C-alpha cells in the first residue's frame, strides 16, 4: 500500500468512526436555539442526547454480528444511509418527540461507523499492525471533538438550527460516497 493510499485509508476509517462525535459535538452549540424553536427547556432537550446514545448502544450490539454475516461494505453503506436520512429528517423536526425519534435512528446509524471501522482494521492487519493503525485512527478521531463545537457554533451563528443536522448529513454523505466508490470489501 502506497503512503498516499495508506493515509487516505486512515482518513476514511477515521471519518466513519467519527460519526458519533460529529453528531454530538456539533449539536451542543445549537441546543439553545433548538430549545427556543421547540418551546422547551434546554435541559429537556438534553434528553435527545441520551436517546441518541441509546440508539448508538442498540446499533453497536447489532452491526457487528450483521457485518460478520453480510460483509462490512453493505452494512456500513446501510448504517451511513440511515445516519444521513435521520440527520436530514431531524433538521425538519417541529417538536421534541420528532427530534428524539430521529436522533435515536441517527444513533443507530452512527454505531455502524465505530463498530465496523474496528472490524475492517482487524480484517486487514495482524495484531501489532492493527494496533498501530487504530492508534492513527484514534488520533484523528480525538481531534474531531475539539473542532466540532466551533463548526456547530459557526453554523448556528449564520444559519438556522437545522443546518447542524444538514452538516451531519453532508459529512456522512461524503463518507458514504467514499465507501461506495473506493472501499473494497474486507
Amino acid at each position: 500500500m502506497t503512503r498516499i493510499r495508506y493515509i487516505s485509508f486512515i482518513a476514511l476509517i477515521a471519518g466513519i468512526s467519527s460519526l458519533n462525535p460529529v453528531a454530538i459535538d456539533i449539536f451542543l452549540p445549537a441546543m439553545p436555539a433548538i430549545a427556543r424553536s421547540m418551546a422547551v427547556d434546554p435541559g429537556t432537550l438534553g434528553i435527545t442526547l441520551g436517546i441518541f446514545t441509546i440508539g448508538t448502544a442498540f446499533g453497536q450490539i447489532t452491526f457487528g454480528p450483521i457485518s460478520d454475516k453480510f460483509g462490512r461494505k453493505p452494512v456500513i453503506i446501510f448504517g451511513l444511509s440511515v445516519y444521513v436520512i435521520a440527520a436530514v429528517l431531524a433538521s425538519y423536526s417541529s417538536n421534541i418527540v420528532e427530534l428524539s425519534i430521529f436522533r435515536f435512528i441517527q444513533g443507530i446509524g452512527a454505531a455502524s461507523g465505530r463498530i465496523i471501522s474496528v472490524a475492517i482494521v482487524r480484517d486487514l492487519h495482524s495484531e501489532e499492525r492493527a494496533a498501530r493503525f487504530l492508534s492513527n485512527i484514534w488520533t484523528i478521531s480525538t481531534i474531531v471533538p475539539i473542532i466540532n463545537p466551533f463548526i456547530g457554533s459557526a453554523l448556528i451563528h449564520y444559519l438556522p438550527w437545522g443546518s447542524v443536522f444538514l452538516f451531519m448529513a453532508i459529512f456522512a454523505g461524503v463518507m458514504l460516497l467514499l465507501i461506495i466508490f473506493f472501499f473494497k470489501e474486507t
Side-chain angles (χ1 to χ4, degrees):
M1 183 180 285
T2 67
R3 183 145 179 85
I4 292 172
R5 289 190 70 191
Y6 180 78
I7 292 169
S8 299
F9 192 67
I10 286 176
L12 176 62
I13 300 302
I16 64 172
S17 69
S18 296
L19 295 174
N20 278 22
V22 168
I24 292 172
D25 300 327
I26 289 178
F27 174 74
L28 294 175
M31 287 180 68
I34 297 170
R36 278 191 306 276
S37 173
M38 294 185 177
V40 296
D41 180 70
T44 303
L45 188 64
I47 291 170
T48 62
L49 288 171
I51 290 171
F52 175 85
T53 304
I54 292 168
T56 301
F58 179 75
Q60 286 180 341
I61 61 174
T62 56
F63 279 121
I66 291 171
S67 73
D68 288 341
K69 182 171 182 159
F70 296 106
R72 309 296 186 218
K73 186 171 183 172
V75 177
I76 193 67
I77 288 171
F78 174 77
L80 288 168
S81 299
V82 166
Y83 184 98
V84 168
I85 292 166
V88 169
L89 292 173
S91 73
Y92 294 105
S93 297
S94 60
N95 59 58
I96 194 165
V97 174
E98 288 176 4
L99 183 61
S100 297
I101 291 167
F102 297 135
R103 289 292 279 173
F104 176 79
I105 295 167
Q106 187 184 23
I108 292 171
S112 66
R114 181 67 63 146
I115 294 301
I116 296 175
S117 64
V118 173
I120 289 168
V121 172
R122 288 187 181 166
D123 289 347
L124 295 174
H125 302 292
S126 65
E127 282 185 27
E128 184 180 315
R129 185 139 165 92
R132 204 170 325 124
F133 200 88
L134 287 170
S135 172
N136 291 330
I137 290 169
W138 301 140
T139 299
I140 294 170
S141 296
T142 303
I143 295 167
V144 172
I146 295 169
I147 61 173
N148 281 340
F150 295 107
I151 294 170
S153 295
L155 288 170
I156 203 68
H157 182 73
Y158 295 107
L159 300 167
W161 65 263
S163 64
V164 297
F165 291 104
L166 294 177
F167 178 87
M168 293 174 205
I170 291 168
F171 177 83
V174 169
M175 294 297 113
L176 177 60
L177 291 173
L178 292 172
I179 289 289
I180 290 170
F181 293 111
F182 299 108
F183 176 74
K184 292 184 175 137
E185 180 61 65
T186 61

